[in-house]
Amino acid sequence: MNSLSPPSGATLPQPSTSSTRGLHVITWGCQMNVYDSERMSDVLRPLGYRTVGTPDDADMIILNTCHIRDRAAEKVFSELGRLRKVKEARAERGEGTVLAVAGCVAQAEGKEILSRAPYVDIVLGPQTYHRLPEMVARAARAAGAVIETDFPVEQKFDFLPADRMAPAGGAAFLTIQEGCDKFCSFCVVPYTRGAESSRPAQAVIAEARRLAAAGVREITLLGQNVNAYHGEGPDGRTWGLARLARVLADEVGIARIRYTTSHPRDMEDDLIAAHRDLPQLMPFLHLPVQSGSDRVLAAMNRGHTADEYRALVARLRDARPDLALSSDFIVGHPGETDADFAETMRLIDDVGFAQAYSFKYSPRPGTPAAGAGGHVPEDVKDARLQELQAVLRVQQDAFNDAAIGLTAPVLFTGRGRKPGQLSGKSPWLQAVNVDGPDSLIGRIANVDIRHRYTNSLGGVLTEETDRA
Ligand code: 5AD
Ligand code: SF4
């Protein structure tokens, strides 16, 4: 499925500005610094920062320095001494302060500043202002400050009713992780959703047991960065996603387990092994790659190359040969050239995707990419998106064609569009329609796949036994 909007569950909320924080910028030096100070204020606005006239009212103070005069560093240290007092006075009132040093002195004397003035939280040179929101979010969290979207994950889940109704169709979603620390250049999630955090394994297992008792056969574990899951286990140790999946399969007895969305960097060995060992782990993986160009991947701050993604896919397919892959793609990220785009097309050719979501890059205020140069014209993005979606469509159709002739277990989640028809999901997340009785809804039964339609498969029931 190609789509112009992000998949559900992966929407991009706009930053909240309901709680504002004070920002005080002290600017020394040239026009360039004046401009930079304004830019820093701009990139911090989506995080809720509003300029205030005095450092005493500021949750964040930026000293934007100039190196052109003599004794520039000494002047900086003497100003920092003054700001330290402001920070201490605020701390006594229970208010945190992020203190940042920017500009040319920061660039030249960064290490010296951190060692002589350890109360400084952030030092950033002029080339890194676009990363300021990322640094601020990290520093504020490290300082224990609360970013409005940043709340203990359990607290939120506590508001969910414990006796949550099981969905009728035998498939349920279960959120295990929230937030993201990856800071991809284009993405607003780390700012809006805050730091990565995981629910304790015991809470997840308890909820899965309730769902199973209510008849749920398939659970999709959810998280912005679900394979970064690192919840506290009942044994006091940190559990990864693979461990959690094993317990859900072997002890809770969930027939089908899925998880989404994953990051290639967090695809660890034990999770790959779980795809080999656990038949309950469904052979479908949404593993966004975004681009096939190493240059663009680096600009996106994705933390891996195209070949590393290819190698990862090879290892996954080695573990689970019938694994179907899905991805997200962005065309027209700032700086993307025709040659970069061709690399993306080559990666698509090499990997072969069962489905994918693709987007034209669109700037999100406050993200590094939005402030970068080299924005790609809209008509170029349109053309690239069309070309990419055409190839992905061919791949999706080929993947679905290959299912014709298979006998596949289908979880029936509800009625189909036509009377007497049931609709369900194959292990590879394909929609499958058959004629059959309502009594099969919420159950798994084998289907002979006979037809491929635009976005679904058709077949006939072979046996009406639940493969419990
Ligand atoms: N522009 C276009 N697509 C984006 N996505 C996230 N941010 C942007 C953006 N600024 C896409 C990515 C991500 C998916 C959920 O949305 O492909 O994986
Ligand atoms: Fe956004 Fe990247 Fe985190 Fe995904 S991994 S939520 S794209 S920052």
Side-chain angles (χ1 to χ4, degrees), residues 267-290:
M267 214 65 220
E268 300 201 337
D269 292 351
D270 60 348
L271 189 54
I272 297 174
H275 277 280
R276 183 190 60 225
D277 302 338
L278 294 180
Q280 294 93 336
L281 207 47
M282 288 293 99
F284 178 94
L285 183 61
H286 184 62
L287 191 63
V289 65
Q290 314 293 359

Side-chain angles (χ1 to χ4, degrees), residues 49 58-62 87 96-100 121-122 136 139-140 143 145:
Y49 285 94
D59 302 278
M60 167 143 189
I61 303 168
I62 301 176
K87 186 170 172 166
T97 314
V98 175
L99 181 55
D121 301 286
I122 296 174
V136 172

Side-chain angles (χ1 to χ4, degrees), residues 180 182-184 186-187 189-190 224-225 263 290 302:
C180 180
K182 295 287 189 290
F183 290 98
C184 297
F186 51 82
C187 181
V189 166
Q224 247 102 37
N225 229 246
H263 194 292
Q290 314 293 359
R302 293 288 291 176

Side-chain angles (χ1 to χ4, degrees), residues 351-436:
V351 173
F353 290 95
Q355 60 157 266
Y357 300 90
S358 40
F359 313 97
K360 285 193 287 182
Y361 168 76
S362 76
R364 308 279 158 183
T367 56
H375 279 266
V376 175
E378 220 41 43
D379 56 336
V380 175
K381 289 189 214 170
D382 282 329
R384 289 182 188 164
L385 188 69
Q386 255 190 28
E387 194 180 334
L388 178 125
Q389 290 188 338
V391 170
L392 288 167
R393 179 84 237 174
V394 170
Q395 292 195 343
Q396 180 179 332
D397 290 349
F399 179 78
N400 289 337
D401 281 338
I404 295 172
L406 292 183
T407 300
V410 172
L411 171 64
F412 291 104
T413 50
R415 293 204 179 113
R417 279 208 201 115
K418 295 187 194 137
Q421 213 184 41
L422 297 178
S423 165
K425 285 191 279 183
S426 80
W428 306 280
L429 211 61
Q430 294 147 305
V432 182
N433 295 308
V434 300
D435 287 335

